[in-house]
Amino acid sequence: MTTAVRTTEARVRRAELAAFLRSRRERITPEQVGLERGRRRRTPGLRREEVAQLSAVGVTWYTWLEQARDIQVSPQVLDAIARALLLDRSERAHLFALGGATDPAPNSECTGVTPSLRMMLRQLDPFPACLQNSRFDILAYNTAYGRLLCDLDALPPEDRNCLWLAFTNEQWRDSLVDLDETLRAMAAKFRASMAGHLAEPPWKALLDRLLAASAEFREIWERHEVLRPGDRTKLFRQSRVGLLRLDHTGLWTGPTPGPRLLTYTPVDEESRRRLEELARL
């Protein structure tokens, strides 16, 4: 391969990388990564300086990346950018291919929701089901789950997090029969999961938000309890149909500890009847 050909290929790759970074940056809302939107925001999605801040890289350096400048990109920096932009596994692999680097963590959590997973969620109605990551973000859900504890459709996307709702949303809290036990267990699972993500901005942003909003969370967090995810029967006090006894099952959709498909199936006929009634309302 001649030098001219290699130079042309490198230039094309840099242009593709720049366009890809811009497209991923523009699709993410500030709220998704723990930033305030502000009143004067005109840029769709995140600003360049915000991505640089979240990735812990220089603003000028990141700007050069989006301008397709001829600069060297380390795997560690690409990893930080991939995490800041919430890339799924396919997008992450594409980023490293364009950057000409080897991914140091190829099994990083996938945040994407495929059409087949969305179809599975719909098919499970009237049984509640959702797709949730290890940070308790609700990535997708069916109609039954959207009505189970509160009206999820009425909430902004940045509030669709089970841990946040359990400590701050009164309707969600009223629906949990074993509230105290559930709160302790969720905080303990969050601490166990966060051990592998301590330096990642979305995790730190959620923790800071919870600590600022809930004295109850602050007290539980100070206990330093840890717990791994598990399946068990859960009781819900649904505001329109009454008590529901549901078996909770989590199915991994990718490498552990990636997103899980959570399903809630009725333990008895009364709970099944009430779920069907909820679907008709």
Side-chain angles (χ1 to χ4, degrees):
M1 184 183 295
T2 66
T3 301
V5 171
R6 285 196 296 268
T7 301
T8 300
E9 287 190 356
R11 186 167 58 249
V12 171
R13 184 182 290 112
R14 291 197 303 270
E16 283 291 323
L17 175 61
F20 181 66
L21 288 174
R22 285 194 299 271
S23 70
R24 300 304 88 180
R25 170 172 61 82
E26 291 173 355
R27 73 173 183 177
I28 298 175
T29 65
E31 294 84 358
Q32 284 179 281
V33 291
L35 300 176
E36 294 185 6
R37 174 171 293 276
R39 295 183 178 180
R40 295 187 175 183
R41 180 176 295 271
R42 296 179 181 177
T43 305
L46 297 178
R47 301 186 179 99
R48 285 174 176 172
E49 57 267 28
E50 290 170 334
V51 177
Q53 173 191 342
L54 293 169
S55 307
V57 301
V59 177
T60 300
W61 189 91
Y62 180 79
T63 300
W64 285 349
L65 265 184
E66 285 203 8
Q67 291 175 344
R69 300 281 190 96
D70 186 6
I71 58 175
Q72 294 297 317
V73 191
S74 71
Q76 292 72 27
V77 168
L78 287 176
D79 175 68
I81 292 174
R83 295 178 185 278
L85 294 176
L86 307 179
L87 301 188
D88 64 26
R89 289 179 66 195
S90 297
E91 292 167 334
R92 182 184 175 94
H94 186 61
L95 174 69
F96 276 86
L98 293 176
T102 300
D103 189 349
N107 292 324
S108 293
E109 179 175 319
C110 169
T111 58
V113 182
T114 64
S116 60
L117 284 172
R118 293 188 185 277
M119 182 180 295
M120 286 177 63
L121 289 173
R122 290 195 298 270
Q123 292 298 316
L124 286 168
D125 270 320
F127 297 164
C130 72
L131 192 68
Q132 183 187 107
N133 63 17
S134 56
R135 200 172 53 238
F136 287 100
D137 293 328
I138 302 170
L139 307 177
Y141 54 92
N142 63 7
T143 301
Y145 188 85
R147 298 174 179 176
L148 180 62
L149 296 119
C150 71
D151 183 3
L152 275 179
D153 291 341
L155 299 177
E158 62 269 20
D159 286 350
R160 293 174 193 163
N161 175 283
C162 292
L163 190 61
W164 172 257
L165 293 169
F167 280 95
T168 65
N169 185 286
E170 287 305 318
Q171 186 179 1
W172 188 283
R173 290 165 62 87
D174 289 343
S175 299
L176 300 173
V177 174
D178 301 317
L179 178 62
D180 293 340
E181 179 185 348
T182 299
L183 294 181
R184 285 188 61 185
M186 292 183 73
K189 291 176 184 177
F190 179 64
R191 182 180 286 279
S193 296
M194 191 172 181
H197 306 273
L198 291 174
E200 296 176 26
W203 288 77
K204 294 191 293 184
L206 176 58
L207 176 60
D208 290 343
R209 192 182 184 202
L210 284 161
L211 290 171
S214 172
E216 190 175 20
F217 177 81
R218 292 195 295 273
E219 190 275 326
I220 294 175
W221 191 250
E222 286 301 316
R223 300 177 188 178
H224 289 265
E225 296 174 335
V226 292
L227 186 66
R228 291 296 175 183
D231 301 332
R232 64 185 182 89
T233 299
K234 294 189 175 183
L235 302 179
F236 298 102
R237 190 183 299 106
Q238 214 288 326
S239 59
R240 291 187 286 180
V241 300
L243 186 67
L244 296 168
R245 295 178 178 85
L246 306 177
D247 274 340
H248 166 272
T249 305
L251 305 173
W252 299 108
T253 63
T256 307
R260 291 195 303 161
L261 176 66
L262 304 181
T263 63
Y264 297 83
T265 52
V267 172
D268 49 47
E269 280 303 313
E270 183 66 18
S271 296
R272 176 188 288 271
R273 185 189 63 78
R274 288 175 176 173
L275 282 177
E276 292 171 348
E277 180 183 350
L278 181 62
R280 290 193 297 269
L281 289 175

